[in-house]
Amino acid sequence: MKNDVLDVLLYIFERFENDDYFIIEEAQKLADELTEVGFTEGEIGSAFDWIDALATLRENQEEHLFEQIHSDGFRVFSSQERRILGQQGLSLLVRLEQSGLIDFAARELIIDRILALKMDTVSYDQVQWIAMMVLSNLEGYEQACAWFELQADELH
């Protein structure tokens, strides 16, 4: 997956930003709409797979899959994570966690979804968008989502 899949995800996110959830039955209509605006079937399928994986991760998170991880531990980022996220992206995640806007489980979900895009690198803005997409699909992170929206408003 590359930048084009991220573009599809951003399109979907912006389209359904105010909806509480995405109705799977509408997937074919959405796929048709995405095709009409110029995305390929491969990009659309990869974006839908990414969303499905996020839903699965959300369910696992809700079932306390992350209980076995000690939240007071020290996270060492792999060389691949450092390369892809860059210093600014890593700093953003650390800052969000240290400020209490996200916890270790949300951080790991964000990193998982970034790595799932299989991009060589992601920009700071892309990390923000992906984090906002992930957090908006989790319960209890409304304050973090509001923080991201405030950041976006300040830029415009």
Side-chain angles (χ1 to χ4, degrees):
M1 287 184 242
K2 298 288 181 202
N3 242 351
D4 297 332
V5 175
L6 182 56
D7 291 338
V8 175
L9 290 168
L10 291 172
Y11 183 94
I12 293 169
F13 180 75
E14 288 176 354
R15 171 97 161 54
F16 293 95
E17 183 175 17
N18 296 321
D19 294 352
D20 289 336
Y21 55 89
F22 173 71
I23 302 169
I24 299 301
E25 291 79 31
E26 295 181 8
Q28 188 55 52
K29 284 192 258 181
L30 178 59
D32 293 342
E33 179 182 329
L34 291 165
T35 301
E36 286 178 26
V37 297
F39 295 111
T40 67
E41 282 185 33
E43 293 164 347
I44 296 166
S46 293
F48 283 4
D49 290 344
W50 190 93
I51 292 168
D52 287 342
L54 176 58
T56 301
L57 288 169
R58 179 183 62 228
E59 290 167 10
N60 290 340
Q61 187 247 358
E62 289 170 0
E63 294 172 4
H64 309 290
L65 179 67
F66 293 100
E67 281 182 1
Q68 54 194 292
I69 301 174
H70 299 288
S71 63
D72 59 350
F74 180 74
R75 173 65 154 88
V76 177
F77 294 98
S78 72
S79 59
Q80 177 191 23
E81 291 167 339
R82 288 192 312 270
R83 179 180 48 79
I84 293 170
L85 289 148
Q87 187 59 45
Q88 286 185 322
L90 291 172
S91 294
L92 172 64
L93 294 178
V94 169
R95 189 174 61 232
L96 290 170
E97 189 173 6
Q98 288 177 343
S99 68
L101 289 171
I102 65 172
D103 59 13
F104 65 95
R107 178 199 63 218
E108 293 305 312
L109 289 173
I110 294 166
I111 292 169
D112 178 82
R113 295 294 75 212
I114 290 171
L115 296 179
L117 290 169
K118 296 183 175 39
M119 296 171 63
D120 293 332
T121 61
V122 290
S123 69
Y124 179 83
D125 290 340
Q126 290 170 328
V127 172
Q128 283 188 323
W129 275 108
I130 295 165
M132 192 162 51
M133 283 188 276
V134 170
L135 296 173
S136 67
N137 280 281
L138 300 174
E139 290 185 29
Y141 295 96
E142 293 79 14
Q143 188 176 8
C145 291
W147 182 86
F148 279 112
E149 289 174 14
L150 181 63
Q151 298 304 307
D153 289 345
E154 288 178 3
L155 292 175
H156 293 103

